[in-house]
Amino acid sequence: MSDVKIREVPPQDWPLYKSVRLSSLEDSPDSFGSTYEQEVLLSDAEWQARLDLEFRGLDARPLIAELAGHAVGLAWGVIHEPDSKTAHIYQMWVSPSQRGKGIATSLLNEITAWALNKGCERIALAVTTSNEAAVSLYNSSGYLPAGSLEALRNGSVFLVQPMVKRLGNTK
C-alpha cells in the first residue's frame, strides 16, 4: 500500500480521468448512478469540462490512486451549495486487482481531511446494498445509514443506502 499515491486530478489529466472512470463503469456497472453506455458517448470537451472546477463553480476534489504509474482507483469529494457543511463522495472505485489493500480507505481519508479543512460537519454517500465489501468499508469507516433505500437509477432493481459520517467540525 505504501507505493500507492493519491493525488488530485488536474484538468490537463482529463484523458486519465476518462480512462479510469470508464473502467470503473465497465467493471462495476451496478455501483454507479451513471452507466458506461451513457458516459462512453461523452465528447472530449465534456470530459475536460468535468475537471474544470473553477468554470463549473464546483467545490470538489477529484482524486486518483496510482500504483507504479497506473491508475488503480478513483473518488470525488464534492460540496454542493448551499449546504456547505456536507461533503459528498462520488465515483468511489478501486481496480479489482488492488481491492483489499487499503486504497479505498486512503481515498476516504483524503476526502475526509479535505472536508474537515473545508469546515464540513459530515460526509454523505450512497452505496449499493448488494456490494457487501463497500458496505463493510463504509461501516468500518464510521458511516451510518441515513434515510430510506433508493433505486440506484430509474428502472434499476438495485438499491442504494444513503450513509453519513459525522465529522468533528460541529460548533
Side-chain angles (χ1 to χ4, degrees):
M1 176 52 212
S2 62
D3 295 334
V4 172
K5 178 182 175 189
I6 307 292
R7 69 174 177 91
E8 191 162 339
V9 187
Q12 64 270 22
D13 280 354
W14 69 266
L16 175 64
Y17 167 65
K18 174 184 177 181
S19 173
V20 177
R21 176 62 173 159
L22 291 177
S23 292
S24 73
L25 291 166
E26 275 188 305
D27 170 67
S28 304
D30 302 322
S31 295
F32 304 103
S34 187
T35 66
Y36 177 85
E37 292 75 19
Q38 291 169 318
E39 295 199 16
V40 76
L41 298 176
L42 296 176
S43 69
D44 288 350
E46 289 171 301
W47 286 103
Q48 291 171 9
R50 282 189 174 188
L51 293 174
D52 192 344
L53 306 178
E54 188 174 325
F55 175 78
R56 293 175 63 196
L58 188 60
D59 193 357
R61 186 137 195 252
L63 299 174
I64 293 277
E66 293 177 314
L67 177 63
H70 299 285
V72 296
L74 173 69
W76 276 70
V78 179
I79 299 171
H80 299 286
E81 291 299 332
D83 184 7
S84 63
K85 296 298 181 190
T86 303
H88 298 265
I89 295 177
Y90 299 109
Q91 300 184 21
M92 172 67 87
W93 177 79
V94 173
S95 173
S97 67
Q98 299 303 315
R99 291 181 185 154
K101 298 180 180 180
I103 295 170
T105 299
S106 292
L107 288 164
L108 286 176
N109 289 343
E110 286 289 326
I111 292 173
T112 299
W114 170 78
L116 281 165
N117 187 52
K118 292 285 189 172
C120 292
E121 296 175 1
R122 65 199 143 274
I123 303 177
L125 56 83
V127 61
T128 305
T129 58
S130 59
N131 187 338
E132 294 175 14
V135 171
S136 178
L137 167 72
Y138 297 133
N139 281 329
S140 68
S141 298
Y143 290 83
L144 300 172
S148 302
L149 297 178
E150 305 166 359
L152 173 63
R153 62 182 87 86
N154 286 339
S156 177
V157 297
F158 293 97
L159 298 173
V160 295
Q161 173 65 65
M163 299 184 86
V164 170
K165 178 179 181 174
R166 302 261 174 228
L167 301 176
N169 280 337
T170 57
K171 297 185 177 162

